[in-house]
Amino acid sequence: MDVLIYLIPIALFLGGLGLVGFLWSLKSGQYDDLEGAKWRVLSDDDLPPDQRPHKSAGAE
């Protein structure tokens, strides 16, 4: 039972640390654009123009 004297404050501290991290992420705008990330994954804008895949005229 003596170990609870240490474990309860450590658990409360870690929970508070997680809460502070979550509130910081809300304030810094981490969740502002949830839809844009899935479309940015599909874009080829980060590739140089000569390495971008080309669509052939007859293929759909």
Side-chain angles (χ1 to χ4, degrees):
M1 289 300 273
D2 291 336
V3 75
L4 289 178
I5 294 172
Y6 299 109
L7 290 179
I8 291 174
I10 290 172
L12 290 174
F13 174 73
L14 289 176
L17 193 64
L19 180 64
V20 167
F22 175 70
L23 292 176
W24 170 80
S25 69
L26 281 177
K27 250 183 125 73
S28 67
Q30 295 291 318
Y31 304 108
D32 284 348
D33 184 20
L34 297 177
E35 295 292 319
K38 67 181 177 185
W39 294 110
R40 281 191 299 274
V41 168
L42 298 174
S43 71
D44 290 329
D45 293 341
D46 56 341
L47 294 176
D50 58 336
Q51 292 182 355
R52 291 184 186 160
H54 297 290
K55 293 183 180 177
S56 60
E60 290 287 326

